[in-house]
Amino acid sequence: MLDLSCPTRDKTITAIQIGICMDILIRALITFVVVVLVLYLVNMLPVDGRAKQIVRVIVIIIGVLSLLSYLVNF
């Protein structure tokens, strides 16, 4: 099971640690929503299927890299 809790050295969690965890989660959620929105808008474009597929792959790669950058800073 994936543990999404914030790592701490001791059992006390400070307000700063909670704020940092919430900041990372909010940024990840916003990134996910933006990627989904861009994919929806790409699907609405009046271009051929091959071009749509290329743009979808590029958007997904950029989204995954953005999410990974948040995890690296975590």
Side-chain angles (χ1 to χ4, degrees):
M1 184 171 171
L2 183 62
D3 184 22
L4 296 177
S5 62
C6 296
T8 58
R9 291 193 177 104
D10 55 0
K11 295 297 179 185
T12 59
I13 298 175
T14 64
I16 294 172
Q17 291 170 328
I18 292 173
I20 291 171
C21 289
M22 290 303 293
D23 182 51
I24 291 172
L25 289 175
I26 289 170
R27 287 181 186 211
L29 181 64
I30 290 171
T31 301
F32 179 74
V33 169
V34 168
V35 167
V36 169
L37 179 64
V38 170
L39 288 173
Y40 172 75
L41 293 174
V42 165
N43 196 31
M44 303 301 283
L45 287 175
V47 293
D48 62 335
R50 180 79 172 144
K52 282 185 186 181
Q53 186 175 8
I54 292 170
V55 173
R56 283 185 202 131
V57 169
I58 291 171
V59 168
I60 290 172
I61 289 173
I62 291 171
V64 168
L65 290 176
S66 295
L67 290 174
L68 287 176
S69 71
Y70 297 139
L71 293 177
V72 167
N73 292 333
F74 183 61

